[in-house]
Amino acid sequence: MWTYHNPVRVIADSGSLNRLPALLDGRNCLLVTFPEAESLGLVRRVRQLIGEQLRGVIDSIQPNPDVQWLAPLYEQVQREHADVPVIVALGGGSAIDSAKALICATPTGRFVDLLSVLQQGGTLPSGLHKHLIAIPTTAGTGSEVTPWATIWDQAGGRKYSLHQPHTWPEAAIIDAELMASLPAGATLASGLDALSHALESIWNVNRNPVSMSLAVQAARRAMATLPTLMQDLGNLQLRADMAQAALLAGLAFSNTKTALAHSLSYDITLQHGVPHGIACSFSLPLVLEMALGADPVADAALLSIFDAMTPAVAVQRLQAFLQQLGVATDPAHYGVAPDDWQAMVHKAASGPRGRNFIRTLD
């Protein structure tokens, strides 16, 4: 028996930001976004669309939400905007993940209660949790259609995964026009994050026929689009194609979670400062090599993505794809000595995401 579930209402079209007033349906909201959103005119556009329904703007979101700056921000939102029922998250995965933390209501309104849930697991008591409308400005994280948020503790060398029944976004607006100004580095990292989500949901013990179909489509579209997009960043059709690939990948891994490559990425990001999209994708050929041969259904899907008849050809084609984009696939390039790599792989395989991988490592 298998099930597939995703409750997020998705609106995807060029110019679909204009649907925001209808989604709010008269409710007031708080906008959570990134610092450059003001200079890019995005805050002004939202303000023009919804007027007095916009009760505040938080534009201080930084990459990789960290407990040190998220804690005071959380308590400010709980204190000053307790009566605002909706948060609109406009930005990349960091803005959407931060918003998922901010919509959570704790009994005391203090972040320490939320941190306790992050550390120990469990479910927050029912309460005045806010609703979330997610509007991604990158094509990659899939956070707009998943219930998970990654929260970092850089000082403590840890990362947490937030997942509550109410952290599914209520709706997602996928508007490629909002991605047109994304610079090359962020376009590459987010696009490779999407590819990683697609592949990770295939070599996954939680996969199902729906997630597999979505993942194969996502991976093929990402590989067909990303190299061309990197040469023509202003092409709105390519932006839309990449946004669709990221959306399909998000819909796939929203039911499977990620696996070994993502588990490996967390220490690479924490210890070496490698951007998430690169940290979770440089190891994909190495993980693909381990995955092939573990399961015939997964093998067939993976070989079809790379139009390969043999595992060796599939691995070579994925490696060539990454190298074409300027992404090194040798762990040593990212500060991991050869003698340390296998230990890192085994550590990652024992983590919560690593245990989703379809092959058990000796």
Side-chain angles (χ1 to χ4, degrees):
M1 185 184 75
W2 59 270
T3 62
Y4 179 90
H5 171 72
N6 192 300
V8 183
R9 179 182 181 188
V10 177
I11 299 173
D13 195 12
S14 182
S16 57
L17 179 62
N18 295 326
R19 299 287 297 278
L20 179 59
L23 290 175
L24 285 171
D25 193 24
R27 295 172 294 174
N28 293 331
C29 70
L30 181 66
L31 178 64
V32 172
T33 190
F34 56 103
E36 297 81 10
E38 180 73 55
S39 61
L40 290 170
L42 298 177
V43 175
R44 176 177 50 82
R45 284 191 63 188
V46 171
R47 190 172 281 118
Q48 288 173 340
L49 281 170
I50 62 176
E52 293 183 355
Q53 289 173 250
L54 181 60
R55 303 303 297 274
V57 177
I58 294 174
D59 61 359
S60 57
I61 303 302
Q62 301 296 321
N64 301 328
D66 192 275
V67 294
Q68 286 195 327
W69 57 260
L70 192 57
L73 180 60
Y74 175 87
E75 295 185 5
Q76 176 192 348
V77 168
Q78 299 303 311
R79 184 175 60 250
E80 299 178 4
H81 301 284
D83 61 338
V84 176
V86 181
I87 287 182
V88 173
L90 175 69
S94 293
I96 299 172
D97 282 5
S98 297
K100 287 177 181 176
L102 297 177
I103 66 173
C104 295
T106 60
T108 64
R110 297 178 60 209
F111 185 78
V112 66
D113 293 338
L114 182 59
L115 184 59
S116 177
V117 170
L118 290 172
Q119 293 172 334
Q120 301 174 24
T123 303
L124 287 166
S126 58
L128 298 178
H129 304 299
K130 301 181 188 301
H131 300 277
L132 175 62
I133 296 174
I135 310 175
T137 58
T138 65
T141 72
S143 188
E144 68 275 7
V145 289
T146 76
W148 305 301
T150 299
I151 308 297
W152 300 85
D153 179 0
Q154 186 72 40
R158 299 183 64 183
K159 77 97 193 173
Y160 304 105
S161 183
L162 174 64
H163 178 200
Q164 295 290 305
H166 61 272
T167 50
W168 287 99
E170 177 182 286
I173 295 175
I174 315 297
D175 186 343
E177 291 182 4
L178 302 177
M179 306 170 189
S181 62
L182 197 66
T187 298
L188 177 63
S190 58
L192 291 177
D193 195 16
L195 176 62
S196 180
H197 290 151
L199 296 177
E200 292 263 272
S201 62
I202 294 172
W203 54 56
N204 198 302
V205 297
N206 302 309
R207 71 188 186 279
N208 61 62
V210 175
S211 66
M212 288 278 282
S213 177
L214 291 165
V216 170
Q217 292 181 68
R220 293 185 70 90
R221 186 175 292 268
M223 293 187 68
T225 303
L226 188 56
T228 310
L229 175 58
M230 293 304 298
Q231 301 301 316
D232 190 5
L233 293 173
N235 189 310
L236 197 59
Q237 182 58 56
L238 292 175
R239 290 285 185 187
D241 290 345
M242 197 63 230
Q244 186 175 97
L247 174 64
L248 293 171
L251 292 169
F253 92 96
S254 73
N255 275 241
T256 66
K257 302 181 182 178
T258 51
L260 183 58
H262 268 73
S263 189
L264 280 163
S265 77
Y266 301 132
D267 280 348
I268 298 292
T269 294
L270 276 169
Q271 297 174 15
H272 303 282
V274 179
H276 173 71
I278 306 300
C280 68
S281 61
F282 83 87
S283 66
L284 290 176
L286 298 167
V287 179
L288 174 63
E289 190 171 19
M290 288 187 280
L292 286 165
D295 179 272
V297 174
D299 283 357
L302 291 166
L303 292 176
S304 74
I305 289 168
F306 301 103
D307 295 322
M309 296 296 292
T310 66
V313 171
V315 173
Q316 290 169 2
R317 288 180 177 171
L318 178 54
Q319 190 166 41
F321 171 81
L322 291 169
Q323 291 173 346
Q324 171 193 3
L325 293 168
V327 177
T329 56
D330 183 352
H333 181 83
Y334 302 94
V336 182
D339 292 344
D340 296 333
W341 176 246
Q342 285 305 316
M344 182 173 283
V345 169
H346 279 82
K347 177 188 173 185
S350 67
R353 294 295 185 262
R355 290 194 293 272
N356 295 330
F357 189 51
I358 58 175
R359 185 184 291 279
T360 302
L361 303 188
D362 298 328

